[in-house]
Amino acid sequence: MHYADGRSTACEDVLPSQVAGCTDLNTTAFLYRVFRAEDPDLVVFTGDNIYGADSTDAAKSMDAAIAPAIDMKLPWAAVIGNHDQEGTLSREGVMRHLVGMKNTLASFNPEGIEIDGYGNYNLEVSGVEGTSMDEKSVLNLYFLDSGDYSTVPSINGYGWIKASQQVWFQQTSSSLQAKYMNKNPKQKEPAPGLVFFHIPLPEFSSFTASNFTGVKQEGISSASINSGFFASMVEAGDVRAAFVGHDHINDFCGKLSGIQLCYAGGFGYHAYGKAGWSRRARVLSVQLEKTDSGEWRGVKSIKTWKRLDDKHLSTIDSEVLWNRGSNGRRGKNPDGS
């Protein structure tokens, strides 16, 4: 969102006809439009929620940026990007502020372990109340701090997800899968996992226009080294998609090694963009399986589309990210093993 000081903060990269009167409040208005149209069960803010350098008071800017979700009493979660801390709050201060806000499901960090960054946490979505799945997490959401800028003198560029975070992620995933698959009623494959962080992984560069949905209009601004988090997600075995921000005029999803890697496209009006190319938001829709006897089970499919801040709040690029049974089942070896 790159929110700063509200009414006094001008828009960037809009058409000449849109410049007059265009401010951070256009970002706020777009949030309300999307929330009213989609009525989401959860809102995720994927970092650079505020543009710290242009905000007079980072805490007030964050309050204003998130305000529509709180006003509409929507549960929300957030990670931080590389610009949130460039104002009056440190990275730690920004995350502490976020976790103290109303209706938030965000956490500061897991308790009792040493971990890099701020805002590494997970959320469990339980099955339908009164069914055999009501004590299981049927959908797992992982949130990580992808850092801001490299802290290693010999390495330039953006930050990355560190080893301590990957260990926490793998242990959390493993423990959730064990509960889901081994405790009655036992499940054949893990509950799907979705991962949210700000800075894209180097693997986002793996796609060409022929194998993704959406557009790529700028380079992939990942860290200059590969810290191995994509391999960690593949090895974990439950991750079906990862969602990032950072590169505002990319909005594609592409599938690599069974995982959908997705941008959402820039949302905020004080963020760089492309004049005439609408600001946008990604929507996720998760469907549960229903048995012939009418009982709700685990997740059956995950779909996505984007909403544009144009005249009609257009819906574009609807696609299925994952269907149960379509992913991760290994075929037999030639010897039948």
Side-chain angles (χ1 to χ4, degrees), residues 230-292:
F230 182 75
S232 292
M233 292 194 295
V234 174
E235 286 169 12
D238 65 333
V239 175
R240 303 306 173 210
F243 303 93
V244 301
H246 200 51
D247 297 329
H248 305 180
I249 55 174
N250 293 338
D251 73 350
F252 65 81
C253 280
K255 190 173 177 182
L256 184 66
S257 302
I259 297 176
Q260 295 274 0
L261 299 178
C262 296
Y263 282 105
F267 188 97
Y269 279 86
H270 184 54
Y272 78 83
K274 185 177 174 183
W277 192 72
S278 299
R279 265 54 177 192
R280 57 203 58 211
R282 182 171 292 285
V283 183
L284 300 176
S285 173
V286 181
Q287 286 80 32
L288 295 177
E289 182 185 345
K290 200 173 194 180
T291 64
D292 293 341

Side-chain angles (χ1 to χ4, degrees), residues 28-40 43 68 71-72 74 307 313:
T28 300
F30 182 25
L31 275 178
Y32 275 114
R33 285 186 89 190
V34 173
F35 293 165
R36 286 177 182 135
E38 295 288 357
D39 189 23
V43 179
D71 179 39
M72 292 185 68
L74 298 171
R307 286 283 196 158
L313 196 65

